[in-house]
Amino acid sequence: MFVLASASKARQKLLDQIALRHKVIVSDFDETQLQEPDPILKVKLLAKAKADSALKKLIEENHALNTYQALLGCDSLFEFKGEIFEKPIDKEQLISRWQRMSGQSGFLHTGHCLISLDNSKSDRESISQNNSCDGVVSTRIEFMNLSNFEINKYASTSEPYNCAGGFAIEGNGGLFIKKIDGCFSNVIGLSLPWLKNNLEKFGLSRLLLDR
Amino acid sequence: MFVLASASKARQKLLDQIALRHKVIVSDFDETQLQEPDPILKVKLLAKAKADSALKKLIEENHALNTYQALLGCDSLFEFKGEIFEKPIDKEQLISRWQRMSGQSGFLHTGHCLISLDNSKSDRESISQNNSCDGVVSTRIEFMNLSNFEINKYASTSEPYNCAGGFAIEGNGGLFIKKIDGCFSNVIGLSLPWLKNNLEKFGLSRLLLDR
């Protein structure tokens, strides 16, 4: 079994899409603790912090570690002209961001931290240090030109408030994205090709497409 | 109401994703009639033929035309090194194609033909000629390196046999696509940004995000 250290429904759906059976353990890490201006370093550190926090929970809650083979922490943010756009805090911020993003482009960065648990150790430090790998995948996103009417209509739905950058490509937001350049699933919340490559490194490919 | 001239579940889901209420009318057009070696011209002609055929059905079946505002026909194919890959005909063909596609790239082309019905005419020729627009959207797709084991595993599922090119980016196939360059929804079966732009031209934006 695989552990996803994220409450994101979009990430859970991506794992379902590739038939990767998983359990969700949401980390306790307080993201506001981390002040880091570099977007790529920030998602990398947050993904690792979430993975470590979920691993700690897994050990503390006395889960039988040998029933789990791997654990993944992820964090996404949108970089727009050097600024970091995380989940919008309110409607006003969302509308003002979309007015700037309309017709422009930016980068969706997702940090990944994968920890292999496929061994008999139960000491958090030795697991996390010896059997983990991390990586950031970045996808360029180009937006359509949007009218204020369209922006206001989108801002009146709940969808954008739960997404880094204020859009869900797999939802209504798909209408506003002209093109992307890079990994597609990365925009939804985790890069499936990254996960495939790194599960292979740990000899855990059997977890994929497991029906 | 909007009419989708396609039996594709993936296209229907894309319309659901953008809250575009629709009725499906599958065209009777026999695609094997059309022998056209140019991939872009081929999807364009097939999209138009499907739209025209569904419009004919709509009129013949005495549907009240004024309850429908627009009709869309689509056709997709995958172009790989100058060859046209439509839905694979059998497992042998699928495996041999994937062995070539592994680590390489190609283009997913989708032809679109949108007909506006937002008027009182009921004569097929005048509707189709005066109120239609068409366009082909192309997205570059780069595949992961796949082992024969992975190719055989994918070929043992039903998913790839119903897809142009033999893969579904929104399904298990998402694991095998390293990156795309272009419109994402186009790879699934129809370009949402193309549809948005062309509904706007006909003054039919109100059909989008209609809850």
Side-chain angles (χ1 to χ4, degrees):
Chain A
M1 184 78 96
F2 185 89
V3 179
L4 177 65
S6 169
S8 154
K9 295 286 177 210
R11 291 196 181 105
Q12 293 168 36
K13 273 192 193 164
L14 283 171
L15 298 187
D16 289 338
Q17 179 186 322
I18 55 164
L20 177 57
R21 288 185 296 145
H22 59 277
K23 177 185 171 74
V24 171
I25 296 185
V26 181
S27 91
D28 293 329
F29 185 75
D30 172 14
E31 300 184 28
T32 60
Q33 278 181 34
L34 186 86
Q35 300 294 328
E36 168 54 57
D38 180 79
I40 293 181
L41 188 54
K42 185 168 189 177
V43 286
K44 186 174 168 172
L45 292 172
L46 282 173
K48 182 160 173 29
K50 287 180 181 182
D52 282 344
S53 161
L55 176 62
K56 190 177 162 206
K57 257 179 140 173
L58 194 70
I59 292 171
E60 283 173 359
E61 290 172 10
N62 285 319
H63 286 285
L65 272 188
N66 56 7
T67 63
Y68 299 102
Q69 286 83 44
L71 181 152
L72 178 71
C74 295
D75 193 73
S76 298
L77 63 76
F78 185 65
E79 177 187 356
F80 184 72
K81 299 190 188 296
E83 276 181 63
I84 290 177
F85 286 4
E86 289 174 296
K87 291 175 189 170
I89 51 169
D90 58 23
K91 191 170 178 176
E92 192 184 2
Q93 187 189 60
L94 179 72
I95 289 174
S96 118
R97 283 180 176 179
W98 263 108
Q99 284 168 338
R100 294 174 60 200
M101 284 153 53
S102 170
Q104 304 292 314
S105 65
F107 290 88
L108 197 298
H109 304 291
T110 297
H112 306 74
C113 177
L114 181 67
I115 301 176
S116 166
L117 307 171
D118 206 10
N119 56 53
S120 55
K121 292 175 189 151
S122 62
D123 164 45
R124 184 163 69 101
E125 288 308 316
S126 64
I127 291 176
S128 170
Q129 282 166 21
N130 297 323
N131 298 289
S132 76
C133 57
D134 51 33
V136 177
V137 179
S138 302
T139 304
R140 184 178 177 276
I141 298 177
E142 192 175 321
F143 299 104
M144 308 278 282
N145 279 307
L146 298 186
S147 65
N148 280 330
F149 178 79
E150 289 168 322
I151 291 172
N152 277 288
K153 198 169 176 183
Y154 193 40
S156 303
T157 69
S158 60
E159 179 182 290
Y161 297 95
N162 205 30
C163 305
F167 60 89
I169 192 173
E170 74 281 15
N172 292 172
L175 208 50
F176 306 142
I177 295 174
K178 192 172 170 184
K179 54 177 288 182
I180 71 170
D181 186 3
C183 175
F184 157 67
S185 45
N186 190 53
V187 183
I188 302 181
L190 72 89
S191 167
L192 297 177
W194 185 92
L195 183 59
K196 177 178 185 296
N197 281 340
N198 288 282
L199 283 174
E200 273 166 19
K201 281 185 197 160
F202 288 135
L204 291 171
S205 297
R206 65 183 183 279
L207 298 178
L208 300 167
L209 308 183
D210 180 24
R211 290 164 199 293
Chain B
M1 182 79 96
F2 184 87
V3 179
L4 177 65
S6 169
S8 155
K9 295 285 176 212
R11 291 196 181 105
Q12 293 168 36
K13 274 192 193 164
L14 283 171
L15 298 187
D16 290 338
Q17 180 186 322
I18 55 164
L20 177 58
R21 288 185 297 145
H22 59 277
K23 177 185 170 74
V24 171
I25 296 185
V26 181
S27 90
D28 293 330
F29 185 76
D30 173 14
E31 300 184 29
T32 60
Q33 278 181 34
L34 185 86
Q35 300 294 327
E36 169 53 58
D38 180 77
I40 293 180
L41 188 55
K42 185 168 189 175
V43 286
K44 186 174 168 172
L45 292 172
L46 282 173
K48 182 159 173 30
K50 288 181 180 180
D52 282 343
S53 161
L55 176 62
K56 190 177 161 205
K57 258 179 139 171
L58 195 70
I59 292 171
E60 283 174 359
E61 290 173 9
N62 285 318
H63 286 284
L65 272 188
N66 57 7
T67 62
Y68 299 102
Q69 285 83 42
L71 181 152
L72 178 71
C74 296
D75 192 73
S76 299
L77 63 76
F78 185 66
E79 177 187 356
F80 184 72
K81 298 188 188 298
E83 276 180 65
I84 290 177
F85 286 4
E86 288 174 296
K87 291 175 188 169
I89 52 169
D90 57 24
K91 190 171 179 176
E92 192 184 2
Q93 188 190 60
L94 179 72
I95 289 174
S96 117
R97 283 181 175 178
W98 264 107
Q99 284 169 338
R100 293 173 61 201
M101 283 152 55
S102 170
Q104 304 292 314
S105 64
F107 290 89
L108 197 298
H109 304 291
T110 297
H112 307 73
C113 177
L114 182 67
I115 300 175
S116 166
L117 307 171
D118 207 10
N119 56 54
S120 56
K121 291 176 189 151
S122 63
D123 164 44
R124 183 162 69 101
E125 288 308 315
S126 65
I127 291 176
S128 170
Q129 282 166 21
N130 297 323
N131 298 288
S132 77
C133 58
D134 51 33
V136 176
V137 180
S138 302
T139 304
R140 184 177 176 278
I141 298 178
E142 191 176 321
F143 299 104
M144 307 278 282
N145 279 307
L146 298 186
S147 65
N148 280 330
F149 177 79
E150 288 168 322
I151 291 172
N152 277 288
K153 198 169 174 183
Y154 193 40
S156 303
T157 69
S158 60
E159 179 182 290
Y161 297 95
N162 205 30
C163 305
F167 59 89
I169 192 173
E170 74 281 15
N172 292 172
L175 208 50
F176 306 142
I177 295 174
K178 192 172 170 184
K179 54 177 289 182
I180 71 171
D181 186 3
C183 174
F184 157 67
S185 45
N186 190 54
V187 183
I188 302 180
L190 72 90
S191 167
L192 298 177
W194 185 92
L195 182 60
K196 176 178 185 296
N197 281 341
N198 287 282
L199 283 174
E200 273 165 19
K201 282 184 196 161
F202 288 135
L204 291 171
S205 297
R206 65 183 182 279
L207 298 178
L208 299 167
L209 307 184
D210 180 24
R211 289 164 199 293

